[in-house]
Amino acid sequence: AGASKIAEMLEVNSSLREVSLGGNSIGNDAAAKFGKMIAINSTLQELHLNNNLISDDGASLIAEGLKTNKCLRELWLVNNTISSIGVLVFAEALEENSALSRLGLTASVRDEPSAMS
């Protein structure tokens, strides 16, 4: 609940440049709020969401926000539960985003062999 509130606050905040929320058990519901915030916020330059519980569903919503974001320079999502499917979603989003210069993204879920075909 707290992370969702921070994401909502960042939709209108114009002073914060960096937010680090690693290790806060942030899941897909809050990731949806961060995705929406990323699409709207015009000042945040670094977002650290390492060591949380974000899966492919949450990653997809965050990546969607990247498509229209013009200011975020660094996004860190290391050690979440994102598989190679989530990594591909970011690859697609980056085709439309020219602002991001650093993306920390580890596929931390072992893919089943059938998912790789």
Side-chain angles (χ1 to χ4, degrees):
S4 291
K5 291 291 184 193
I6 290 172
E8 290 172 2
M9 176 273 304
L10 288 170
E11 288 181 19
V12 295
N13 183 282
S14 61
S15 60
L16 281 175
R17 301 285 184 258
E18 180 179 343
V19 172
S20 182
L21 292 168
N24 279 287
S25 300
I26 294 170
N28 292 331
D29 289 343
K33 302 272 186 176
F34 279 101
K36 181 180 175 196
M37 176 277 295
I38 289 168
I40 296 170
N41 183 286
S42 62
T43 56
L44 191 66
Q45 295 178 2
E46 292 184 34
L47 179 60
H48 300 261
L49 296 174
N50 297 326
N51 303 307
N52 282 296
L53 304 171
I54 300 168
S55 72
D56 290 339
D57 291 339
S60 173
L61 297 166
I62 291 171
E64 188 64 31
L66 280 177
K67 291 179 179 179
T68 57
N69 182 279
K70 304 285 187 246
C71 65
L72 194 65
R73 302 286 182 252
E74 297 185 23
L75 176 61
W76 299 94
L77 290 161
V78 175
N79 291 328
N80 280 279
T81 57
I82 300 169
S83 74
S84 60
I85 293 167
V87 173
L88 289 173
V89 170
F90 278 99
E92 292 170 6
L94 291 175
E95 291 177 7
E96 299 180 42
N97 178 297
S98 60
L100 200 68
S101 60
R102 292 185 178 193
L103 175 62
L105 188 61
T106 303
S108 60
V109 174
R110 289 194 149 217
D111 294 313
E112 297 296 321
S114 61
M116 299 299 286
S117 56

